Amino acid sequence: MPSPKLRVAPMTSPFQVVLVEPEIPQNTGNIARLCAATQSPLHLVGRLGFRIDDRSVRRAGIDYWHLVTLFTHPDWSSFALTHARLRPPGRVRLFSATGRRSYVDAGFAPGDALVFGRESSGIPQEVLDRYPDDVFGIPTAGAVRSLNLASAAAIVVYEAMRSVGALDGARMEDAADGAHPEPDDFVR
């Protein structure tokens, strides 16, 4: 029997995780798992560097894909139109290695779109230019170019949830029936 897990209630208006033209399937897989864990919808925008059909997802070992609320958009305009129709509407928050303000200063609100760019070149400049006051970065102490995309997304999503109180009231619960067992569920 799986051991109990620390859980929180789902958000009424969850954060929307947005990846613009992601290139590396493992990063997107890790972010999909993050979205499943936080019940945050995942939006994939533009051309992907991999396939997301059932066979490709199974081959990549992403057996929790069915737990992700997934939206695909052919381009940024399509995503922006969809996001504007959400009720309540959220804001757009962009996360970039070129951000001049820290992500902890983003002033998150439920329903906000948390936008991340492709691994090789980040968020397209035309999108950054459209939201100049909404571009944030994750400070680093070391001289690295940037953080891994999946790491950056996890940092931001959990900080956003923490800042709006979504992690308050965490409690131990038995794992859901049919939940994918974790490796530590087999180690006693």
Side-chain angles (χ1 to χ4, degrees):
M1 174 176 224
S3 60
K5 303 291 183 202
L6 189 61
R7 305 277 191 221
V8 295
M11 294 179 67
T12 304
S13 293
F15 292 101
Q16 309 289 310
V17 177
V18 183
L19 304 181
V20 180
E21 299 181 355
E23 300 164 315
I24 301 174
Q26 294 86 346
N27 284 336
T28 300
N30 284 328
I31 294 167
R33 186 179 194 129
L34 169 70
C35 290
T38 61
Q39 295 193 354
S40 299
L42 175 61
H43 298 261
L44 301 178
V45 178
R47 186 175 171 169
L48 309 180
F50 49 87
R51 294 176 27 192
I52 58 170
D53 59 73
D54 286 341
R55 180 183 166 141
S56 298
V57 167
R58 274 196 315 276
R59 268 184 76 178
I62 305 172
D63 53 358
Y64 46 83
W65 195 253
H66 66 285
L67 299 175
V68 178
T69 302
L70 178 67
F71 299 92
T72 57
H73 308 276
D75 53 36
W76 179 261
S77 295
S78 172
F79 164 75
L81 181 62
T82 298
H83 187 66
R85 291 180 177 159
L86 290 178
R87 294 292 172 250
R91 298 162 302 167
V92 173
R93 296 291 192 231
L94 306 160
F95 299 92
S96 170
T98 64
R100 294 175 183 251
R101 294 187 299 156
S102 173
Y103 73 104
V104 298
D105 299 324
F108 297 106
D112 283 353
L114 311 177
V115 182
F116 304 88
R118 65 180 82 105
E119 291 88 343
S120 65
S121 57
I123 297 170
Q125 190 61 48
E126 61 270 14
V127 175
L128 292 171
D129 290 345
R130 190 169 169 184
Y131 305 92
D133 297 328
D134 298 309
V135 181
F136 301 89
I138 300 173
T140 60
V144 296
R145 179 175 50 85
S146 62
L147 294 175
N148 171 276
L149 178 62
S151 298
I155 289 167
V156 170
V157 169
Y158 271 95
E159 172 57 20
M161 290 178 68
R162 185 207 61 77
S163 73
V164 301
L167 300 178
D168 296 348
R171 65 201 174 284
M172 295 301 291
E173 287 186 2
D174 289 332
D177 291 336
H180 179 71
E182 297 296 326
D184 65 343
D185 290 336
F186 299 108
V187 178
R188 298 280 180 245

